[in-house]
């Protein structure tokens, strides 16, 4: 699932016969206006389809709603339940249960006003929401709560909750259908990036492998004088500064490899990928995969290095949560004596927008000393610009038979650091506690990061819907 900009929600406005149905009738146009203003499509019963102006109350209403939702199964990304009054819990639960969509659910309830609690005006949605949520719990249907237990439908708080819910829907639905490519095997010296394909598949995540030798053969078969390769060369040169010492042959070779990878990803409808970035590619073809992964990441197809599939899934989740290009980094160095800062680096595959600064596309620093500068061209280098970030990592734990994860938020600082590659000096509250947690629980040294704050979205998606074990670091 590529990043879906415009989501569609199934809408349920509930009512209960002992309360004034006019409250539900008045809520409906407000809800629809909100959806349109916020940029979301919706599926809802017509106002004439139920006695309460399209609001759900009876079993017959619920069957009609469920039938409509089932007919739009491929469109609906989540369900929003609105309680303008107490609402009929049985009508709501039957609507969702009979539809069998298996999508996230948001439950909102409207405020009473202290001077409007007579028989015609009172809502009692404060109480009704408890009953609806109790039924969802009984039926084993996970759901998302709003920021406050009740608040006005026509409010900024509802707008923020809907946007947050939309991000949760993107993460949950995207991961449940994710297709992750794996080009090559993990480097022999990196047992840390082992993973369980079966545990991922149990959550709906499919891994599609490709032998590195086959990918190299595909790249070699591409005519470097072709229009497609020339266009890719132009894209590379506009993407970052290439030192004058790099030959046109090296740039063309890099362009052909990028084209081969992109063609394979498109042919297999992949959402993200990981690549065996060293050292088979450098030895047997003569370039790196860093800039290939960086450019794909910039197009919202996250790519992890060192065949790190769990890293690729982590990156993809952050992309779904934010709509921004994530990066894969090493938790790499302490930062002098500041124990709440560390240096995160890679060679690197960081997307251009993650840097937010001018890039240099050059040779790998460490491997370049061993394999030579010519065969290691393609590393993306620069200093990551400062700002807030979210970090996230999943790990498939075969010993426990589960997928586990951690997430949190921190800051990329403007501190200088004398190392080449992709450099991000990070400040994280209680960093030492996080490192102890990672060490004790066998987490890898790789971590996905994205600009902005998205830990709440990740936490809601994993804990409420995916059932993965999550540690939220504060």
């Amino acid at each position: 699932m590529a990043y879906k900009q415009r989501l569609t929600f199934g809408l349920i406005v509930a009512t209960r016969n002992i309360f004034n149905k006019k409250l539900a009738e008045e809520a409906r146009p407000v809800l629809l206006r909100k959806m349109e203003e916020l940029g979301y499509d919706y599926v809802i019963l017509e106002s004439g389809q139920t006695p309460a102006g399209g609001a759900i109350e009876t079993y017959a209403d619920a069957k009609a709603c469920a039938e409509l939702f089932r007919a739009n199964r491929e469109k609906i990304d989540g369900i929003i339940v609105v309680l303008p009054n107490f609402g009929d819990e049985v009508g709501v639960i039957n609507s969702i249960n009979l539809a069998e969509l298996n999508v996230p659910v948001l439950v909102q309830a409207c405020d009473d006003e202290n001077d409007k609690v007579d028989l015609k005006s009172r809502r009692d949605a404060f109480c009704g929401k408890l009953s609806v949520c109790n039924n969802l719990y009984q039926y084993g249907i996970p759901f998302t709560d709003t920021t406050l237990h009740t608040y006005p439908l026509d409010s900024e708080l509802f707008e923020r909750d809907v946007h947050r819910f939309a991000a949760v829907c993107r993460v949950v639905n995207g991961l449940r259908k994710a297709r992750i490519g794996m080009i090559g095997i993990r480097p022999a010296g990196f047992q840390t990036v082992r993973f369980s394909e079966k545990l991922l598949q149990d959550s709906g995540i499919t891994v599609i492998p490709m032998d590195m030798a086959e990918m190299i053969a595909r790249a070699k078969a591409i005519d470097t004088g072709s229009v497609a390769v020339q266009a890719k060369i132009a894209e590379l040169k506009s993407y970052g500064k290439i030192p004058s010492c790099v030959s046109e042959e090296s740039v063309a070779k890099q362009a052909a490899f990028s084209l081969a990878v992109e063609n394979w990803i498109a042919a297999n409808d992949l959402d993200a990928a990981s690549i065996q970035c060293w050292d088979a590619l450098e030895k047997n073809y003569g370039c790196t995969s860093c800039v290939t992964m960086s450019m794909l990441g910039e197009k919202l197809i996250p790519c992890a290095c060192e065949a790190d599939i769990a890293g690729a899934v982590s990156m993809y989740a952050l992309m779904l949560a934010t709509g921004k290009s994530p990066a894969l980094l090493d938790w790499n160095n302490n930062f002098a004596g500041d124990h709440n800062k560390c240096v995160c680096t890679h060679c690197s595959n960081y997307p251009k927008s993650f840097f937010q600064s001018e890039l240099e596309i050059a040779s790998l620093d460490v491997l370049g000393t061993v394999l030579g500068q010519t065969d290691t061209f393609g590393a993306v280098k620069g200093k990551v610009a400062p700002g807030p970030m979210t970090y996230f990592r999943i790990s498939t734990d075969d010993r426990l038979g589960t997928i586990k994860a951690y997430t949190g938020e921190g800051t990329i600082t403007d501190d200088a650091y004398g190392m080449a590659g992709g450099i991000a000096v990070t400040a994280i509250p209680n960093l030492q506690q996080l490192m102890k947690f990672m060490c004790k629980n066998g987490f890898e040294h790789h971590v996905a990061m994205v600009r902005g704050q998205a830990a709440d979205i990740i936490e809601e998606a994993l804990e409420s819907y995916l059932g993965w074990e999550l540690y939220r670091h504060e």
Side-chain angles (χ1 to χ4, degrees), residues 334-351:
N334 64 290
F335 189 76
D338 191 333
H339 299 303
N340 285 319
K341 284 184 180 178
C342 68
V343 185
C344 295
T345 71
H346 247 158
C347 304
S348 65
N349 66 340
Y350 302 172

Side-chain angles (χ1 to χ4, degrees), residues 314 317-318 390-395 402-408 434 437 441 443 454-464 466-474:
S314 305
L318 288 178
T390 300
Y391 55 90
F392 175 56
R393 174 76 197 188
I394 76 158
S395 184
T402 190
I403 297 175
K404 61 188 182 184
Y406 66 85
T407 192
L434 175 62
F437 170 81
N441 290 278
F443 277 94
D456 285 348
I457 294 164
I458 294 295
E459 183 176 20
E460 178 68 12
L462 266 62
E463 291 194 338
S464 292
L466 297 175
W468 297 354
E469 182 181 307
L470 178 72
Y471 166 65
R472 170 73 182 268
H473 181 70
E474 301 284 358

Side-chain angles (χ1 to χ4, degrees), residues 38 65 117 170 174 187 267 280 395 446:
L38 297 176
C65 181
V117 289
R170 289 187 181 100
S395 184
H446 285 173

Side-chain angles (χ1 to χ4, degrees), residues 251-329:
V251 178
K253 187 177 287 188
Q254 176 69 64
F257 179 76
S258 293
L259 200 59
V261 171
E262 288 184 12
N263 290 343
W264 179 71
I265 286 175
N268 288 275
D269 195 23
L270 302 181
D271 300 299
S274 69
I275 300 180
Q276 178 191 356
C277 56
W278 57 277
D279 55 5
L281 179 61
E282 291 81 3
K283 286 180 176 178
N284 296 290
Y285 182 71
C287 77
T288 73
S289 61
C290 299
V291 71
T292 299
M293 294 187 284
S294 174
M295 293 171 74
L296 281 165
E298 191 66 13
K299 297 171 184 175
L300 300 185
I301 304 174
C303 289
C305 45
E306 291 157 346
D308 184 4
I309 286 290
V313 173
S314 305
M315 295 169 76
Y316 183 51
L318 288 178
M319 187 277 289
L320 291 169
T322 63
K324 298 176 182 177
S325 300
L328 189 73
L329 305 88

Side-chain angles (χ1 to χ4, degrees), residues 50 63 75 85 117 122 159 165 218 236 266 366 412 468:
T50 74
K63 285 204 303 180
K75 293 182 182 178
N85 59 35
V117 289
R122 64 185 293 182
E159 294 174 5
F165 179 64
R218 292 188 182 196
L236 279 165
V366 177
I412 297 170
W468 297 354

Side-chain angles (χ1 to χ4, degrees), residues 64-101:
C65 181
E67 183 179 349
L68 178 65
F69 283 4
R70 285 197 304 272
N72 290 275
R73 177 182 299 278
E74 297 305 314
K75 293 182 182 178
I76 295 176
D77 301 291
I79 295 171
I80 298 177
V81 177
V82 171
L83 303 174
N85 59 35
F86 191 103
D88 192 293
E89 63 206 68
V90 179
V92 172
I93 196 64
N94 280 325
S95 297
I96 298 172
N97 191 51
L98 294 173
E100 297 181 311
L101 298 188

Side-chain angles (χ1 to χ4, degrees), residues 91-385:
V92 172
I93 196 64
N94 280 325
S95 297
I96 298 172
N97 191 51
L98 294 173
E100 297 181 311
L101 298 188
N102 192 31
V103 295
V105 177
L106 177 69
V107 183
Q108 187 273 344
C110 297
D111 270 342
D112 267 309
E113 297 175 54
N114 285 358
D115 60 347
K116 295 180 181 178
V117 289
D118 56 275
L119 292 178
K120 287 186 177 181
S121 305
R122 64 185 293 182
R123 297 180 183 275
D124 286 19
F126 191 99
C127 184
K129 182 175 179 178
L130 292 170
S131 297
V132 167
C133 293
N134 172 270
N135 276 260
L136 290 168
Y137 182 86
Q138 287 187 48
Y139 280 69
I141 297 173
F143 62 93
T144 295
D145 198 358
T146 49
T147 303
L148 299 178
H149 188 64
T150 61
Y151 56 68
L153 187 60
D154 194 2
S155 66
E156 289 187 12
L157 194 52
F158 179 65
E159 294 174 5
R160 292 200 298 269
D161 277 342
V162 170
H163 282 318
R164 175 177 174 269
F165 179 64
V168 171
C169 290
R170 289 187 181 100
V171 174
V172 173
N173 298 334
L175 289 178
R176 282 174 173 170
K177 302 174 183 176
R179 291 172 57 82
I180 313 295
M182 182 177 182
I183 302 173
I185 60 173
R186 64 171 174 82
F190 268 37
Q191 293 186 165
T192 187
V193 294
R194 286 172 170 174
F195 73 100
S196 170
E197 199 170 330
K198 291 181 179 180
L199 285 176
L200 290 176
Q201 190 64 70
D202 189 55
S203 289
I205 300 169
T206 302
V207 177
I208 297 88
M210 160 64 82
D211 190 275
M212 177 57 80
E214 172 64 20
M215 187 59 74
I216 289 173
R218 292 188 182 196
K220 287 181 175 179
I222 296 175
D223 179 5
T224 55
S226 66
V227 172
V229 171
Q230 293 305 308
K232 185 59 66 178
I233 289 173
E235 186 182 348
L236 279 165
K237 290 182 175 180
S238 65
Y239 193 73
K241 182 180 178 181
I242 299 175
S244 58
C245 61
V246 176
S247 69
E248 289 297 318
E249 180 184 359
S250 291
V251 178
K253 187 177 287 188
Q254 176 69 64
F257 179 76
S258 293
L259 200 59
V261 171
E262 288 184 12
N263 290 343
W264 179 71
I265 286 175
N268 288 275
D269 195 23
L270 302 181
D271 300 299
S274 69
I275 300 180
Q276 178 191 356
C277 56
W278 57 277
D279 55 5
L281 179 61
E282 291 81 3
K283 286 180 176 178
N284 296 290
Y285 182 71
C287 77
T288 73
S289 61
C290 299
V291 71
T292 299
M293 294 187 284
S294 174
M295 293 171 74
L296 281 165
E298 191 66 13
K299 297 171 184 175
L300 300 185
I301 304 174
C303 289
C305 45
E306 291 157 346
D308 184 4
I309 286 290
V313 173
S314 305
M315 295 169 76
Y316 183 51
L318 288 178
M319 187 277 289
L320 291 169
T322 63
K324 298 176 182 177
S325 300
L328 189 73
L329 305 88
D330 283 353
W331 296 109
N332 210 74
N333 305 85
N334 64 290
F335 189 76
D338 191 333
H339 299 303
N340 285 319
K341 284 184 180 178
C342 68
V343 185
C344 295
T345 71
H346 247 158
C347 304
S348 65
N349 66 340
Y350 302 172
K352 191 172 187 174
S353 58
F354 188 80
F355 276 109
Q356 293 186 351
S357 60
E358 185 179 3
L359 307 182
E360 179 185 55
I361 307 173
S363 298
L364 291 171
D365 294 289
V366 177
L367 277 181
T369 63
V370 179
L371 302 177
Q373 298 295 303
T374 301
D375 291 340
T376 56
F377 168 71
V380 180
K381 301 180 181 182
K383 184 176 182 297
V384 181

